Amino acid sequence: MVAPGGKHKRFFEVGDSDENKSDEGPKKQRKELDPDVEKRLIEAKVKALPQSNENTDTIKPKIRKYNRGERLSVKGLKDKKLKSQLKTKEDLFEKSALTAAKVEQWLLPSEGGALEADDGENTYDYTQEDIVKNVDISSAHKAFDLRLPDLGPYTIDYTHSGRYALIGGRKGHLAVIDWKTKYLMMETQVKETTRDIKFLHNEQFFAAAQSKYIYIYDKKGAEVHCLKEFVAPLKLEFLRHHFLLVSTNKAGVLHYQDTSTGQIVANYSTRLGPCRVLRANPYNAVVSLGHSNGTVTLWTPNMGTPLVRMLCHRGAVTSTAFDMGGSYMVTAGADARIKVWDIRKMQALHSYMAFQSTKSLDVSQKGLLAVGSGSTIEIWKDAFQVKQEKPYMKHKLFQNSTIQDLSFCPYEDVVGIGHTGGVTSILVPGSGEPNFDSFVANPFQTVKQRHEAEVHALLDKLQPQTIMLDPQKFGAVDKNPRKNLREQEEEEDESKKIQGQKKAKRKTKGRNKVGKRMAKKQLEAFGTKRSIIREQQQQQKQMKGALVKEREEPLPRALERFAS
Amino acid sequence: MKVRVISRSEEAFTRERSQDVTKVFRNLDPRLHPMERAQEYTRALNAVKLDKIFAKPFIGALSDHRDGVSCMAKNPSRLNCLVSGAMDGDVRLWDLAYRKTVAEFPGHNGAVRGVSISSDGDFLVTCGDDCTARLWELPAAEIGEVSGGVKHCEPVMVFQDKNSFRAVDHQWEKKVFATAGANVSVWDYNRSEAMTSFSWGSETVVSVKFDPAEPDVFVTTGSDRSICLYDLRMNTPLRKLVMQTRTNAVAWNPREPFNFTAANEDCNCYTYDMRKLKFAKCIHKDHVSAVMDVDFSPTGREFVTGSYDRTVRIFSYNGGHSREIYHTKRMQRVFSVRFSGDATYVMSGSDDTNIRLWKAKASEQLGVLLPRERAKHEYLDAVKQRYKHLDEVKRIDRHRQLPKAVFKAKKLRQEMTEAARKKESRKRAHSAPGSMPREAARKKRIVAELE
């Protein structure tokens, strides 16, 4: 798999908690950090800017956040010019990370949400009513139930700025809502089974996977396109940086289509049956599919076979979700388990038990995990790094309606739940990113800004070829290019050939019988085993002897008879 | 229980009135900017493509001369002022902003070979094949469009010599200038006879240039393939470097005043350190015919060359190959080039009687830039710099349409150099080890260094 890049290393450094370090005495700490050049540099720079009232220890983890990978070592370089250029570059990167960390207190003024329990209580004891009572009135309005019992179950999707919500009922009811003001922008009835809905690059367009084709509608509900190249779609996903609409269907085909040009980018058969689980990793735009045989496959449009195929569950995979930093994947299966995976190492981290099969999963911007099964939704906090014992929050839907889909609203402390009885929005303090970037996603976007953003998004559209497992590797030098690998392989083949020839020469009549060969193998195996055992025995003997010798010397004579 | 949820009031995040500045919020957290490398690459790619679209370097031609332009001089104290001399003895003062002749300096019989303006911008010296150097007073500067037609100026002083002059240059401090011809002479404004005269060998000296930083030092090049260094405080020349081919012109680097670049007949330019003439600091290759003139940008980071192959090229001061090539269908042999005083424009005077005005950066946006525009340009430049090694960016950025003749000549030269290299390597392979020592390319063209 992919070797852990600089970014990941950094992550683990953050993980081993700087708070512990600060607990140690100042002397020891200084001693420990003295050789750390980076630290000294930072200290010098902090001293150079006296207006800052933050000290080094508080700013250091912040700097780590903005550092992209470790500092490049220029030790072995002979080219003086290149060396100095690289050094200047690295200094510049360090400086920019430092500046970013320093301006954080002004750039990021808003504090995130939080929920703290009183003594003797747990956060999951609090109901939505309790929370709603304790928040301001505008936030209280964000928790609501839309009772739509006839056309469900509903799926829900938010725009990437979190301002608009798109809901789609299974029986063809589609609506776009400015959900904070509860203003209904558009409502339509397509009179067809609608399995999934997804916003495209902004709130102006959305795609709906209907019984036969994928349709694209505009903000007024007018049908703009019908994508007839792809039949019986089940799930949709939109990669907004690439303008790619990804979909899977009943035949188990994965389909990538460019929504800006209409071009079909890729069409791959998974050969694993109908695929109802599709989720894109926001970190690298790699798409994960969950299959009925319990495997999860990761895909890019550049390869006809999955990048990764991992057996995750003993039943069908029911849902997957990704952490925003691209480090963790969560999968849920029909075996009533939820598993957390480190997708840099492709390792299982924890496994959580559920009482019933989970229908839907989602991870919030701040790393909260929402698990929807049956009519209950559980929110887990810090569930990736450490295995948690208790959930952070719980919520039970009204009238025991069954969850179909859930989605955290970006930049808000809200999770939207689509279920058989309609749509529910609940407050989850601490789930959303409190500070938005106007150039990434602006919840208060004006029409003009939207026009501008659309043009820029199209100009910055990434080509499908840029999707890769480790996006930090983009533009980096391939140290093991395929050409070299091929040469190596050829060399190995040749050497094998030569060895094979030698063996062929040794062959004599009658030695190639199957039985004899097996016998010989066993003998060899046994022989090697025997020799190993012998060695071990000898070592043990020697050890014993050594022990005895050691003992002999210090024991007084009178006690010798007790030692055996 | 303590609860805090994200709650944003619209008033705090939007502007009050439409006249107000739009509120912008930034969060530099890398998690909010995924795939930033791919994004930057895309921007770099778009930027180089846009550069190609906006690359319209030719601004206009100054076309009043009736014969080939042989020499040009820029006014050190004024940006819009250029003096040019032609092969028919015509000398003109130009207003670059309006691309019009301001004044004429009639008097020379035969080609004008050198023009030079004093560092205060008041006086002009011209010299030519008629064995005279003439001192003129430059007309007072006018702002705005020229009124009252073209002025005809009278020389203040005429300096007579036995031989024709080939070049002239002013000293940067005093009212003193040096001429090149059969020998190198230094003149004072007030004396009709030369103050001092230097000669080293009997060949003609073709160019002369004073060092802007060390005012008494100047360099000349001769038709005996020499580059010669002089000091006014001494009676004899300092040093002489003989190369395999003739050097047509030199230019001092204004920011690294011990370095000068020599335009050579062998299609290359050579940058030398005045203190170490044993080898060139850098060889600038790309022209396919003799380089006729060279001039440094005032920033000292770039220089422009004009060549007999009908092209103008711009090189980095330490770059082996040119960054830019300018050519038009009608432009003939380029005899003189100048960088403008603000490093934004390039002037080229050629055999087709025109002086052409080019932008130094082909796709640069001229005029006053808004701060946001400037920031955008800076960002794109940085991104281009970062991804310049990637194939697609490199290919688009480097591609230049060449005239057919230049393209063919380039191919031919490549073949020739490759053949020579092969021949040498084979020779080396078949001779005794160590009998054919490798010679550095930077030393190869140097014949001798004399003191």
Side-chain angles (χ1 to χ4, degrees):
Chain A
M1 261 354 298
V2 183
K7 186 179 186 284
H8 306 140
K9 277 182 206 163
R10 182 162 26 89
F11 191 86
F12 283 119
E13 279 167 26
V14 174
D16 60 38
S17 117
D18 290 77
E19 287 163 25
N20 296 343
K21 270 185 192 170
S22 60
D23 289 341
E24 294 163 359
K27 244 186 189 175
K28 197 183 172 187
Q29 191 187 356
R30 196 171 294 158
K31 212 176 180 184
E32 237 182 54
L33 294 171
D34 234 344
D36 195 350
V37 182
E38 193 187 56
K39 168 101 177 177
R40 262 188 279 146
L41 262 172
I42 293 159
E43 271 174 344
K45 278 168 190 165
V46 171
K47 268 178 206 163
L49 295 161
Q51 68 268 27
S52 155
N53 48 10
E54 285 180 300
N55 62 8
T56 328
D57 289 320
T58 55
I59 211 161
K60 202 179 169 188
K62 282 186 189 172
I63 292 174
R64 283 233 183 88
K65 184 169 118 187
Y66 295 107
N67 262 338
R68 276 109 171 134
E70 279 169 3
R71 195 184 165 90
L72 198 72
S73 165
V74 289
K75 259 187 180 171
L77 283 177
K78 278 182 184 171
D79 189 344
K80 274 186 189 171
K81 212 176 182 180
L82 181 68
K83 218 174 173 176
S84 77
Q85 277 173 352
L86 286 176
K87 206 181 152 281
T88 329
K89 263 278 147 62
E90 289 296 332
D91 287 346
L92 204 67
F93 290 152
E94 232 163 50
K95 206 177 152 194
S96 69
L98 177 75
T99 321
K102 274 168 160 293
V103 297
E104 217 177 49
Q105 52 181 321
W106 295 286
L107 271 192
L108 313 179
S110 324
E111 256 185 292
L115 176 62
E116 282 166 34
D118 297 334
D119 287 342
E121 289 179 344
N122 287 312
T123 48
Y124 58 77
D125 292 334
Y126 300 129
T127 60
Q128 277 299 307
E129 285 85 63
D130 297 334
I131 291 169
V132 165
K133 264 181 218 161
N134 281 293
V135 296
D136 59 316
I137 192 156
S138 67
S139 301
H141 281 304
K142 288 175 189 166
F144 57 84
D145 277 327
L146 277 181
R147 303 205 176 198
L148 306 157
D150 304 328
L151 301 167
Y154 277 83
T155 44
I156 183 162
D157 184 38
Y158 290 100
T159 51
H160 61 266
S161 66
R163 176 153 172 196
Y164 301 97
L166 171 66
I167 57 168
R170 174 104 176 157
K171 287 175 183 148
H173 174 223
L174 306 180
V176 177
I177 315 161
D178 186 348
W179 64 274
K180 269 182 255 179
T181 57
K182 313 285 188 314
Y183 177 71
L184 185 65
M185 312 265 294
M186 183 283 294
E187 190 176 26
T188 186
Q189 171 55 259
V190 295
K191 294 176 185 163
E192 227 180 12
T193 310
T194 309
R195 296 200 176 84
D196 199 8
I197 38 109
K198 219 62 199 189
F199 269 122
L200 299 189
H201 57 281
N202 58 21
E203 76 279 3
Q204 302 284 299
F205 296 98
F206 64 90
Q210 294 180 20
S211 65
K212 205 166 177 193
Y213 303 122
I214 299 169
Y215 288 84
I216 291 177
Y217 297 95
D218 71 356
K219 57 176 177 181
K220 292 191 172 154
E223 180 190 317
V224 185
H225 293 292
C226 170
L227 312 182
K228 287 195 174 169
E229 295 88 357
F230 195 62
V231 189
L234 289 178
K235 261 294 193 187
L236 298 175
E237 189 69 74
F238 185 68
L239 310 177
R240 72 184 179 97
H241 295 286
H242 306 78
F243 282 80
L244 287 178
L245 184 67
V246 193
S247 45
T248 54
N249 71 355
K250 278 184 182 168
V253 176
L254 174 67
H255 183 79
Y256 283 88
Q257 191 155 10
D258 192 321
T259 56
S260 65
T261 60
Q263 189 195 3
I264 295 169
V265 173
N267 209 16
Y268 300 132
S269 176
T270 60
R271 296 162 206 263
L272 289 167
C275 181
R276 289 191 175 78
V277 181
L278 166 69
R279 187 59 74 95
N281 185 345
Y283 172 68
N284 54 11
V286 170
V287 151
S288 77
L289 301 184
H291 304 284
S292 53
N293 63 354
T295 54
V296 168
T297 48
L298 302 185
W299 296 76
T300 67
N302 310 317
M303 244 170 84
T305 49
L307 301 177
V308 179
R309 179 178 295 159
M310 49 206 286
L311 183 62
C312 293
H313 292 281
R314 284 194 186 149
V317 178
T318 53
S319 185
T320 60
F322 289 93
D323 158 45
M324 220 186 145
S327 338
Y328 304 104
M329 177 170 77
V330 193
T331 61
D335 57 355
R337 276 181 186 280
I338 296 159
K339 289 186 181 174
V340 180
W341 304 81
D342 185 334
I343 41 170
R344 302 160 302 182
K345 293 188 196 163
M346 300 296 160
Q347 267 179 1
L349 292 177
H350 325 290
S351 173
Y352 294 92
M353 278 287 283
F355 291 110
Q356 60 189 116
S357 163
T358 301
K359 182 70 186 170
S360 187
L361 288 173
D362 199 22
V363 179
S364 84
Q365 284 177 316
K366 283 288 181 192
L368 263 59
L369 172 68
V371 180
S373 48
S375 64
T376 54
I377 167 173
E378 281 181 357
I379 314 283
W380 293 76
K381 198 177 184 183
D382 304 327
F384 306 135
Q385 277 162 308
V386 188
K387 188 172 177 181
Q388 298 293 325
E389 302 292 321
K390 298 165 187 169
Y392 174 59
M393 282 176 70
K394 269 184 189 170
H395 182 68
K396 192 153 175 69
L397 294 175
F398 60 89
Q399 290 171 351
N400 286 342
S401 43
T402 323
I403 289 172
Q404 170 72 14
D405 186 25
L406 49 86
S407 174
F408 275 104
C409 180
Y411 307 102
E412 289 290 347
D413 284 340
V414 162
V415 60
I417 308 157
H419 50 87
T420 47
V423 173
T424 300
S425 168
I426 60 169
L427 291 180
V428 181
S431 71
E433 169 65 47
N435 298 294
F436 62 87
D437 189 320
S438 304
F439 297 114
V440 173
N442 186 358
F444 302 101
Q445 201 172 40
T446 61
V447 176
K448 239 184 180 173
Q449 282 171 332
R450 193 189 67 223
H451 293 167
E452 193 76 5
E454 198 168 9
V455 171
H456 278 283
L458 280 167
L459 275 175
D460 292 346
K461 185 181 109 176
L462 303 183
Q463 290 305 307
Q465 289 82 357
T466 59
I467 300 179
M468 49 174 76
L469 262 182
D470 186 355
Q472 296 292 326
K473 288 258 165 72
F474 189 92
V477 178
D478 190 357
K479 284 177 183 162
N480 268 332
R482 202 176 287 165
K483 206 174 125 198
N484 287 5
L485 283 179
R486 203 179 290 151
E487 278 170 12
Q488 271 182 13
E489 275 169 18
E490 276 171 11
E491 271 177 23
E492 275 171 20
D493 283 352
E494 272 184 20
S495 63
K496 268 182 192 171
K497 265 184 197 169
I498 292 162
Q499 281 176 358
Q501 279 170 1
K502 275 177 187 171
K503 267 189 183 172
K505 271 183 185 175
R506 272 189 225 151
K507 226 197 272 178
T508 48
K509 253 187 183 178
R511 287 201 175 173
N512 206 16
K513 277 182 184 171
V514 180
K516 278 200 173 177
R517 248 179 2 200
M518 293 296 287
K520 203 180 170 189
K521 245 186 199 172
Q522 268 189 342
L523 198 73
E524 271 176 7
F526 193 60
T528 48
K529 217 178 182 182
R530 197 155 48 185
S531 67
I532 290 167
I533 291 167
R534 243 179 226 159
E535 266 180 27
Q536 281 176 348
Q537 280 175 344
Q538 271 184 350
Q539 275 181 355
Q540 278 175 354
K541 265 188 186 175
Q542 279 176 354
M543 290 275 280
K544 263 190 181 175
L547 276 174
V548 170
K549 269 183 193 171
E550 267 179 24
R551 249 183 243 155
E552 270 171 6
E553 284 163 13
L555 274 183
R557 226 174 165 190
L559 294 175
E560 257 179 15
R561 60 194 164 120
F562 297 112
S564 57
Chain B
M1 104 195 248
K2 283 181 199 163
V3 194
R4 191 174 62 233
V5 289
I6 297 168
S7 175
R8 300 187 188 95
S9 65
E10 183 131 10
E11 296 82 56
F13 288 87
T14 50
R15 55 186 178 175
E16 217 169 294
R17 294 164 298 166
S18 58
Q19 295 96 313
D20 292 349
V21 180
T22 325
K23 285 183 182 173
V24 170
F25 301 88
R26 300 307 311 268
N27 187 346
L28 305 173
D29 189 350
R31 279 159 30 109
L32 289 187
H33 305 263
M35 294 166 276
E36 52 185 359
R37 283 191 168 219
Q39 204 120 41
E40 280 180 354
Y41 166 74
T42 311
R43 284 177 188 152
L45 195 61
N46 286 339
V48 287
K49 284 178 184 168
L50 285 176
D51 276 355
K52 287 284 140 174
I53 291 169
F54 292 125
K56 293 197 168 45
F58 181 66
I59 295 171
L62 320 178
S63 51
D64 288 353
H65 277 299
R66 287 172 298 270
D67 206 339
V69 181
S70 58
C71 51
M72 293 193 297
K74 57 189 175 192
N75 190 335
S77 65
R78 291 202 67 201
L79 277 181
N80 67 343
C81 180
L82 179 79
V83 174
S84 64
M87 291 295 190
D88 60 349
D90 193 13
V91 178
R92 278 166 192 274
L93 170 68
W94 300 90
D95 185 334
L96 285 177
Y98 294 96
R99 287 176 239 152
K100 277 185 178 159
T101 310
V102 178
E104 280 182 276
F105 303 89
H108 276 293
N109 299 317
V112 181
R113 293 292 180 180
V115 290
S116 170
I117 301 176
S118 62
S119 55
D120 55 9
D122 292 340
F123 290 98
L124 166 73
V125 175
T126 60
C127 67
D129 285 351
D130 58 353
C131 308
T132 59
R134 287 158 197 264
L135 177 71
W136 316 76
E137 202 166 344
L138 269 185
E142 271 187 64
I143 292 168
E145 196 155 10
V146 186
S147 53
V150 180
K151 277 180 199 148
H152 289 263
C153 301
E154 288 294 319
V156 180
M157 184 104 169
V158 179
F159 308 93
Q160 195 74 39
D161 200 31
K162 275 169 251 162
N163 305 97
S164 67
F165 290 109
R166 296 299 300 270
V168 61
D169 194 33
H170 264 92
Q171 209 231 24
W172 285 82
E173 270 187 351
K174 290 172 254 173
K175 298 253 184 258
V176 164
F177 63 92
T179 58
N183 49 18
V184 181
S185 313
V186 182
W187 307 74
D188 193 282
Y189 278 6
N190 306 319
R191 297 189 194 173
S192 57
E193 292 295 314
M195 290 203 302
T196 39
S197 209
F198 301 94
S199 65
W200 191 345
S202 57
E203 293 289 330
T204 320
V205 181
V206 293
S207 78
V208 55
K209 268 276 149 52
F210 271 98
D211 188 347
E214 196 65 56
D216 288 327
V217 175
F218 64 98
V219 62
T220 65
T221 64
S223 53
D224 58 346
R225 301 164 297 150
S226 68
I227 298 171
C228 210
L229 279 162
Y230 297 83
D231 193 328
L232 283 183
R233 295 163 291 195
M234 312 222 313
N235 294 329
T236 51
L238 287 176
R239 267 187 204 180
K240 191 177 193 174
L241 177 78
V242 182
M243 293 184 70
Q244 281 184 357
T245 41
R246 198 178 88 166
T247 300
N248 286 321
V250 281
W252 290 91
N253 186 336
R255 295 285 163 208
E256 293 167 357
F258 33 82
N259 292 343
F260 61 87
T261 301
N264 205 287
E265 285 274 296
D266 68 352
C267 317
N268 297 339
C269 288
Y270 297 86
T271 298
Y272 284 103
D273 188 329
M274 175 167 86
R275 304 162 299 183
K276 281 181 228 161
L277 291 175
K278 283 214 168 60
F279 56 88
K281 266 177 83 82
C282 188
I283 307 175
H284 312 275
K285 296 174 179 175
D286 259 356
H287 278 298
V288 292
S289 190
V291 189
M292 301 305 290
D293 199 7
V294 57
D295 190 37
F296 256 98
S297 156
T299 60
R301 303 284 96 177
E302 278 176 346
F303 63 87
V304 59
T305 58
S307 165
Y308 210 65
D309 62 10
R310 304 181 178 88
T311 61
V312 174
R313 282 182 187 265
I314 298 174
F315 290 85
S316 163
Y317 78 110
N318 57 1
H321 289 274
S322 62
R323 156 174 90 70
E324 196 62 82
I325 176 173
Y326 294 152
H327 56 84
T328 67
K329 254 184 185 170
R330 295 180 184 183
M331 188 162 77
Q332 294 301 315
R333 320 285 185 196
V334 184
F335 289 130
S336 75
V337 284
R338 286 291 172 269
F339 234 107
S340 76
D342 57 351
T344 318
Y345 304 100
V346 161
M347 283 81 75
S348 69
S350 49
D351 209 7
D352 59 325
T353 76
N354 286 321
I355 296 166
R356 286 188 171 77
L357 196 59
W358 310 85
K359 284 199 272 186
K361 284 184 187 123
S363 53
E364 195 184 26
Q365 186 183 347
L366 295 180
V368 182
L369 294 184
L370 295 173
R372 278 170 70 188
E373 281 179 315
R374 200 167 50 237
K376 176 85 179 168
H377 284 307
E378 276 164 10
Y379 173 73
L380 290 181
D381 283 343
V383 171
K384 268 188 282 180
Q385 182 67 21
R386 190 168 192 196
Y387 291 94
K388 68 181 176 188
H389 301 295
L390 292 189
D391 289 348
E392 195 70 358
V393 176
K394 191 158 83 180
R395 184 181 64 78
I396 295 169
D397 194 31
R398 279 180 48 182
H399 174 75
R400 294 286 181 280
Q401 180 67 39
L402 290 180
K404 209 173 190 180
V406 174
F407 185 74
K408 279 186 177 168
K410 191 180 149 197
K411 271 267 155 68
L412 186 68
R413 278 179 66 81
Q414 273 172 359
E415 252 167 54
M416 281 160 67
T417 44
E418 181 59 20
R421 192 193 61 77
K422 259 187 195 168
K423 191 175 179 182
E424 205 196 314
S425 70
R426 282 178 187 149
K427 231 177 170 178
R428 179 165 286 125
H430 288 277
S431 46
S435 64
M436 278 185 71
R438 283 177 200 275
E439 206 179 0
R442 296 189 297 167
K443 285 182 185 169
K444 241 180 208 171
R445 305 291 296 177
I446 297 172
V447 176
E449 194 202 349
L450 310 170
E451 298 233 11

